[in-house]
């Protein structure tokens, strides 16, 4: 089976890492009190909504901290082990919305991170906000992502989709999307599907 997997907040604890730098940025650069807003966010580029930044403040944040976040993000519990186990029987195709800079540093950082954690995968696609075409071209049969928008889009083209529970989707209800809470649960559900 071809399994498509997102990186941020699916394999990794990206939100937690972003929070660390967002607090520093809000308090030390913007000179404001740091607050997490409780909002449901459909946009995969969620940070400015969660932290209450303007477009300009959001751009400045990513200019300063993007590379650090991508380098330092930690994997979710059991993610690496289970992905590696799955890779023994299935093709793991990582499809991320991470955007790259002209220098291609984010592609480099992402590949280095995957190597550092010894993640076994067959293909890697970077910079895809709309993951439908890549999924079709690679004959994805199962997709795992935390983005509500992506999960809806992938599900609507007939691909089995698991939505990884995250802060930005935890209150979202949709009977058409199957929510998962851990990589152990994903492993069990894949056994059922397979």
């Amino acid at each position: 089976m071809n399994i498509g997997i997102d990186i941020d907040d699916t394999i990794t604890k990206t939100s937690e890492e972003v929070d660390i730098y967002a607090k520093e940025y809000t308090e030390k650069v913007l000179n404001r009190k740091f607050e997490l807003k409780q909002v449901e966010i459909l946009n995969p580029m969620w940070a400015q909504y969660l932290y209450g930044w303007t477009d300009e403040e959001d751009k400045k944040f990513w200019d300063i901290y993007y590379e650090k976040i991508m380098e330092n993000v930690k994997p979710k519990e059991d993610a690496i082990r289970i992905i590696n186990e799955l890779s023994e029987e299935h093709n793991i195709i990582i499809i991320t919305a991470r955007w790259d800079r002209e220098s291609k540093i984010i592609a480099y950082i992402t590949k280095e991170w995957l190597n550092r954690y010894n993640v076994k995968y067959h293909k890697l696609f970077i910079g895809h906000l709309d993951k439908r075409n890549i999924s079709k071209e690679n004959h994805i049969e199962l997709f795992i992502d935390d983005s509500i928008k992506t999960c809806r889009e992938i599900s609507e083209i007939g691909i089995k989709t698991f939505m990884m529970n995250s802060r930005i989707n935890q209150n979202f209800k949709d009977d058409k999307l199957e929510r998962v809470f851990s990589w152990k649960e994903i492993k069990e559900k894949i056994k059922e599907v397979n």
Side-chain angles (χ1 to χ4, degrees), residues 17 22 25 55 112 148:
E17 196 69 29
Y25 173 70
D55 288 345
E112 284 298 307
I148 298 163

Side-chain angles (χ1 to χ4, degrees), residues 7-185:
I7 296 178
D8 295 302
D9 285 328
T10 302
I11 296 174
T12 63
K13 300 177 187 178
T14 307
S15 293
E16 289 93 329
E17 196 69 29
V18 174
D19 283 350
I20 294 165
Y21 293 105
K23 184 176 190 316
E24 176 183 305
Y25 173 70
T26 303
E27 293 175 352
K28 294 183 179 171
V29 177
L30 301 179
N31 297 312
R32 290 199 306 252
K33 183 179 181 219
F34 177 73
E35 293 180 82
L36 284 174
K37 299 197 179 299
Q38 295 300 316
V39 291
E40 190 174 279
I41 303 164
L42 294 177
N43 186 334
M45 309 316 282
W46 47 263
Q48 81 177 94
Y49 307 103
L50 199 62
Y51 306 122
W53 297 333
T54 65
D55 288 345
E56 186 179 302
E57 290 168 343
D58 185 61
K59 183 184 179 318
K60 186 175 179 181
F61 171 78
W62 292 109
D63 284 346
I64 297 169
Y65 295 101
Y66 187 36
E67 293 168 24
K68 287 181 193 174
I69 292 166
M70 297 301 110
E71 285 175 334
N72 295 315
V73 70
K74 307 293 183 282
K76 284 184 175 273
E77 185 176 353
D78 300 313
I80 308 301
R81 178 181 59 80
I82 290 172
I83 289 168
N84 289 347
E85 288 172 8
L86 291 170
S87 76
E88 293 171 12
E89 294 180 38
H90 307 284
N91 293 318
I92 303 300
I93 301 165
I94 297 175
I95 308 170
T96 179
R98 288 181 177 186
W99 70 96
D100 213 341
R101 303 189 189 272
E102 283 186 32
S103 66
K104 302 293 182 204
I105 189 70
I106 297 303
Y108 174 79
I109 289 169
T110 301
K111 289 173 188 169
E112 284 298 307
W113 188 95
L114 292 165
N115 287 335
R116 180 178 356 135
Y117 283 98
N118 196 29
V119 179
K120 295 179 180 151
Y121 62 95
H122 299 86
K123 293 182 184 177
L124 170 65
F125 295 94
I126 296 174
H128 293 274
L129 283 175
D130 186 336
K131 300 177 182 181
R132 289 175 288 195
N133 285 338
I134 293 290
S135 295
K136 286 182 203 173
E137 290 166 9
N138 287 275
H139 309 287
I140 301 293
E141 298 161 80
L142 174 69
F143 203 94
I144 307 161
D145 203 307
D146 71 303
S147 164
I148 298 163
K149 180 178 179 285
T150 297
C151 287
R152 276 184 174 163
E153 290 172 347
I154 297 294
S155 176
E156 286 169 1
I157 61 169
I159 297 172
K160 176 74 176 160
T161 306
F162 293 146
M163 184 171 69
M164 178 64 82
N165 191 63
S166 70
R167 176 173 55 203
I168 62 169
N169 73 30
Q170 64 188 350
N171 297 319
F172 177 75
K173 306 265 187 278
D174 187 335
D175 293 337
K176 294 177 186 170
L177 296 179
E178 190 169 353
R179 183 182 299 274
V180 290
F181 295 88
S182 71
W183 276 93
K184 284 182 181 176
E185 181 182 5

